[in-house]
Amino acid sequence: MSVQAWLPAGGQDGLVRLAEVAAPDPGPDQALVAVEAFSVNRGETLLLERPRPGHRPGKDVAGTVVRAAADGSGPAPGTRVVGHPPYGGWSTLVPVATGDLAVLPPSLPATVAAALPLAGLTALRLVRRAGSLAGRRLLVTGASGGVGHYVVELAAAAGAEVTAISASAERGERLLVLGAAEVRADLPAQGRPFDVVMESVGGEHLRAALALLREEGLLLWFGQAGRRPATLDFFEFWNGPVQATITHFDYTRGDRSYGEDLATLVHLVATGRLHPELGVVRPWTETPEVIAMLRGRQIRGNAVLTLPPARLDHERTTDHVA
């Protein structure tokens, strides 16, 4: 039995190719999910340039459980879920650890749920890492991407005064609706300092953003979207904000699985308190085109690909998932 999946092109034209691969063999704590929609993140597309041997892209999926975990944990067959597997999500079927799944309410479409995992988890954990934000000034660089939209809305709801940096005025308009107090094209040259900076561009942005911190402020560095290494002159840092802290943030660190936080994100969306920004929703056959758009920064928010229902019906009725 085989399934279809997008794989690294391996030197062929483009970055991905659609191929037949062996059907997944779930581990005892993994449910088998028929994928209805998946999200493509820009960082994932960069990994396709020099993929590791055997790499299978895809970390954000939503769909239906077609085989429950053998150890009895997790949802039953027929349950709609959102999940965050470590790889392999750009496929018709994917095994996901039950601890990394959250059940979806009937009101939440798979297209919306698929935009939650990587970007939503990163934003949720960033806001937690920043501590109490009530009444504090927050600067977010690269704010018009998938993570930035979530950060702005979550932080504003927590009481922060958010300044969002977006290179495109059009892409930044939505951030004002989500609660940003100000949207700028560039970092401010002066003004009141910020309590917290969340930096994701890299290059000169980190150095310039650090200078905008107040004394004992916190800079959370969580990305390098500009693809230029961040550099910092130690003596310049020494003469900057007193006792400032720079922390490299990685949402994957720690012993916690993703299911609990995914359930939190699902609840926030279902109750109207979090609004995923779906910049593009396309059939999964257009995955190469969407990847090109993401790399060209032509998409505001999240990019979601959908699988045809007929294919899902076929996968659900095959012998190996019965």
Side-chain angles (χ1 to χ4, degrees), residues 102-124:
V103 175
L104 296 178
S107 61
L108 193 59
T111 50
V112 175
L116 289 175
L118 192 150
L121 289 167
T122 301
L124 181 64

Side-chain angles (χ1 to χ4, degrees), residues 91-200:
S91 177
T92 54
L93 285 173
V94 61
V96 185
T98 56
D100 296 332
L101 291 171
V103 175
L104 296 178
S107 61
L108 193 59
T111 50
V112 175
L116 289 175
L118 192 150
L121 289 167
T122 301
L124 181 64
R125 294 181 175 190
L126 265 171
V127 170
R128 285 179 180 157
R129 177 62 182 82
S132 174
L133 287 172
R136 303 176 79 192
R137 300 194 74 228
L138 169 66
L139 176 67
V140 183
T141 67
S144 58
V147 175
H149 279 85
Y150 289 128
V151 165
V152 167
E153 187 166 19
L154 290 169
E161 178 187 330
V162 182
T163 295
I165 306 300
S166 172
S168 166
E170 180 182 357
R171 294 178 68 188
E173 288 177 359
R174 178 65 174 163
L175 300 172
L176 293 171
V177 177
L178 295 176
E182 180 185 22
V183 176
R184 301 175 53 94
D186 300 300
L187 292 171
Q190 57 186 3
R192 288 192 298 137
F194 293 92
D195 300 285
V196 179
V197 171
M198 296 182 182
E199 211 295 289
S200 65

